Amino acid sequence: MRLYNTLTRTVEEFTTRDEGRVGIYVCGPTVQNVPHFGHARAAVVPDVLRRWLRYRGYQVFYVRNITDVEDKIIARAEQEGRPPAAVAEAYTRIYEEQMAQLNVMPPDVAPRATGHIIEMIGLIERLVEVGVAYEAGGDVFFSVRKFDPYGSLSGRNVDDLRSGARIEPTERKRDPLDFALWKAAKPGEPSWTSPWGRGRPGWHIECSAMAAKYLGVAFDVHAGGLDLIFPHHENEIAQSEAASGRRFARFWVHNGMVTLDDEKMSKSVGNVIGLGEALDRFGANILRLFLLSAHYRSPVDFSEARLEEARAGFDRWRAFVRATRSLPPPEGDPETVAEQRRRFEEAMDDDLGTPAAQAALFDLVADGNRALERGDEAAAAAARRVLVDLCGVLGYAFEDERQGSTLVAPLVEELLRLRMQARERRDFETADDIRSRLGDIGVIVEDSSQGPRWHIAAGREHGPQAAKR
Ligand SMILES: [Zn+2]
């Protein structure tokens, strides 16, 4: 498998420190608000990398942190009039819930920054000890000039960065390039005791400390959004490598941004599409198909038209899976089916080429439909099996047919029977309540001359997590 490495700016042969095992660290969210569509991409891309490595037989250990102490959370707490810890807790829950709805596999470990203050203090002490960090009035700074390779990930030159940079009058640092490892407590802010007095960690040191704790000081893959390369990831490298003297992550994998009208989607710009809203309207499969139609390093422009195309595309896959559900299991793969699997694998091995991999799936479905038309059940069943298998690699889920027919349907029928009884005794309040509650969980009821009919709302057909809300 070949993978692009931001550090070397080349597509490299993928290798790991320990044969057959991969450690991945992904920068998780700063939990200060509900997720937007950009967060979906930052989670789906490393999720697909993880699933592909598993498919290739690696044992993957996946760490994604939660940044639950940070300036933005403190500002948000002020706005909402509740403690920063309550803000962080509430948005952490929403984030995890929406990631589950998006069918992103939960991390093996999801460390929270506030649970690792001791590790962060230990790392900062080490940096002071080796002479690359200094204390100033209760703050501790990293001295960028003392770390020679600084700028190697982002391709920036320290002298270029220096020109134009200046120290704000309120700052205690010696050089404008230096960044905070520890911030002295201000009144009313969350703080912890440290050798430098009460304070809290800077954002960058959080990831260095948590990555080292769970993956060791040197590990395989560090992932995150393109917007984190500078300064966040550059600073992580400086801190971790200055402390350990070893190379931090071997591979740096960065996903492109989600844009809206070609401008980066971000809270600060105010041009965000909420992930919750997108999930309600389209569901995980369509959102993932839309995102994976672009190469992970390219920007993706949010577009209703392209989401509708993704909906039509996924409908073709689903229709084929439904049309073939009662076929007997296939014996082996005919050549046309094996060929599409090879195409898919080659595309994924080539720096996670999901657009080409999905093109192979569309061809697989077209072949399968032709096999159905000519009555070749074995070929159609083989195509179905490979489609379902490879869709799992990209994180698509087809609804469980048994669940749809044997569990949900009788429950809905039973509720509709109770509704009918309520109407017969002229208890219209209860009748309307049943209908509206069914609507809330995505079951749409329409009354017709032959009695009520129901269906599951588009985008909500894929299983119990959609009905949980
Ligand atoms: Zn990070």
Side-chain angles (χ1 to χ4, degrees):
M1 178 192 178
R2 293 175 309 284
L3 192 63
Y4 183 82
N5 187 353
T6 307
L7 194 60
T8 58
R9 290 168 193 79
T10 50
V11 178
E12 291 179 37
E13 190 59 39
F14 184 72
T15 53
T16 59
R17 290 166 40 82
D18 296 330
E19 177 133 12
R21 289 166 190 260
V22 186
I24 302 181
Y25 185 90
V26 181
C27 288
T30 298
V31 279
Q32 44 134 347
N33 211 324
V34 294
H36 60 70
F37 206 70
H39 294 110
R41 192 175 197 203
V44 165
V45 166
D47 182 57
V48 167
L49 172 63
R50 177 188 191 180
R51 288 169 186 267
W52 183 243
L53 291 169
R54 280 160 51 114
Y55 178 89
R56 280 306 193 202
Y58 287 98
Q59 194 183 327
V60 183
F61 188 65
Y62 192 93
V63 180
R64 184 185 67 209
N65 75 290
I66 297 283
T67 293
D68 60 350
V69 55
E70 219 261 332
D71 294 1
K72 289 176 192 157
I73 298 172
I74 295 168
R76 183 80 186 183
E78 187 82 11
Q79 262 177 33
E80 294 189 1
R82 51 177 172 167
V87 167
E89 189 63 38
Y91 292 119
T92 299
R93 250 181 246 152
I94 295 171
Y95 180 81
E96 287 174 349
E97 197 181 296
Q98 295 190 357
M99 288 303 122
Q101 282 183 51
L102 194 55
N103 209 18
V104 169
M105 291 169 67
D108 293 306
V109 185
R112 294 180 184 208
T114 53
H116 299 77
I117 303 291
I118 289 168
E119 287 83 351
M120 293 166 201
I121 291 173
L123 183 53
I124 298 169
E125 282 184 306
R126 168 84 187 142
L127 291 169
V128 173
E129 193 183 294
V130 299
V132 296
Y134 59 91
E135 190 261 354
D139 291 336
V140 182
F141 295 99
F142 187 94
S143 184
V144 165
R145 297 248 175 216
K146 297 242 171 86
F147 183 69
D148 280 341
Y150 192 84
S152 55
L153 181 72
S154 57
R156 287 174 205 227
N157 173 295
V158 171
D159 292 318
D160 293 347
L161 288 168
R162 181 69 174 77
S163 74
R166 58 195 180 86
I167 301 179
E168 298 296 326
T170 52
E171 290 181 308
R172 302 184 181 105
K173 57 193 180 186
R174 295 176 190 160
D175 185 302
L177 294 184
D178 296 351
F179 59 88
L181 299 169
W182 186 261
K183 300 177 180 187
K186 297 197 192 97
E189 288 185 356
S191 64
W192 290 262
T193 29
S194 82
W196 317 284
R198 286 195 77 83
R200 63 188 164 94
W203 172 36
H204 314 302
I205 202 73
E206 296 180 0
C207 285
S208 282
M210 291 185 280
K213 168 147 185 175
Y214 295 102
L215 295 165
V217 292
F219 59 95
D220 300 304
V221 179
H222 194 311
L226 210 58
D227 53 340
L228 297 184
I229 295 177
F230 187 85
H232 185 54
H233 290 164
E234 198 71 77
N235 292 353
E236 277 189 45
I237 291 176
Q239 298 161 158
S240 299
E241 298 192 354
S244 73
R246 295 178 60 192
R247 181 160 157 196
F248 183 45
R250 283 174 52 83
F251 277 85
W252 285 84
V253 176
H254 290 103
N255 64 275
M257 296 292 97
V258 175
T259 58
L260 189 65
D261 300 325
D262 297 317
E263 188 169 12
K264 182 191 153 189
M265 195 177 278
S266 88
K267 271 264 124 59
S268 47
V269 180
N271 61 342
V272 295
I273 305 277
L275 177 56
E277 181 201 334
L279 280 163
D280 279 348
R281 288 186 56 203
F282 299 100
N285 291 321
I286 293 163
L287 297 184
R288 291 181 77 112
L289 184 51
F290 165 74
L291 288 170
L292 299 177
S293 301
H295 190 266
Y296 76 91
R297 287 194 277 131
S298 316
V300 163
D301 202 47
F302 186 89
S303 139
E304 297 274 338
R306 297 221 14 241
L307 276 157
E308 289 306 330
E309 274 172 39
R311 188 196 295 280
F314 193 78
D315 281 350
R316 295 223 296 279
W317 296 356
R318 182 169 43 208
F320 177 69
V321 167
R322 279 188 184 154
T324 48
R325 68 174 167 228
S326 50
L327 294 182
E331 304 268 306
D333 291 347
E335 181 48 31
T336 49
V337 170
E339 167 64 20
Q340 302 305 354
R341 186 193 281 274
R342 269 199 303 279
R343 273 179 63 202
F344 180 95
E345 291 173 345
E346 276 166 22
M348 291 297 286
D349 275 340
D350 183 12
D351 193 25
L352 297 183
T354 55
Q358 296 196 148
L361 297 185
F362 280 108
D363 288 346
L364 178 68
V365 168
D367 288 348
N369 279 322
R370 277 192 292 272
L372 269 185
E373 276 164 32
R374 65 172 187 269
D376 185 349
E377 290 195 345
R384 176 195 215 266
R385 182 173 63 185
V386 171
L387 177 70
V388 171
D389 180 24
L390 299 181
C391 274
V393 173
L394 298 180
Y396 298 109
F398 296 100
E399 68 268 39
D400 186 333
E401 299 286 341
R402 273 170 309 140
Q403 199 162 33
S405 57
T406 67
L407 184 65
V408 175
L411 279 173
V412 172
E413 297 294 342
E414 181 60 19
L415 284 167
L416 291 180
R417 200 178 60 76
L418 293 172
R419 175 172 171 259
M420 191 68 83
Q421 287 177 354
R423 292 175 89 170
E424 278 163 11
R425 61 173 190 269
R426 307 192 67 76
D427 178 4
F428 296 113
E429 200 181 324
T430 301
D432 287 347
D433 199 40
I434 291 174
R435 177 179 164 145
S436 105
R437 275 164 192 259
L438 281 169
D440 288 347
I441 58 167
V443 177
I444 309 300
V445 179
E446 280 155 4
D447 290 306
S448 75
S449 51
Q450 289 97 43
R453 289 202 197 123
W454 64 275
H455 67 273
I456 296 177
R460 305 288 287 270
E461 312 91 324
H462 41 272
Q465 74 229 25
K468 200 180 65 186
R469 294 164 57 86

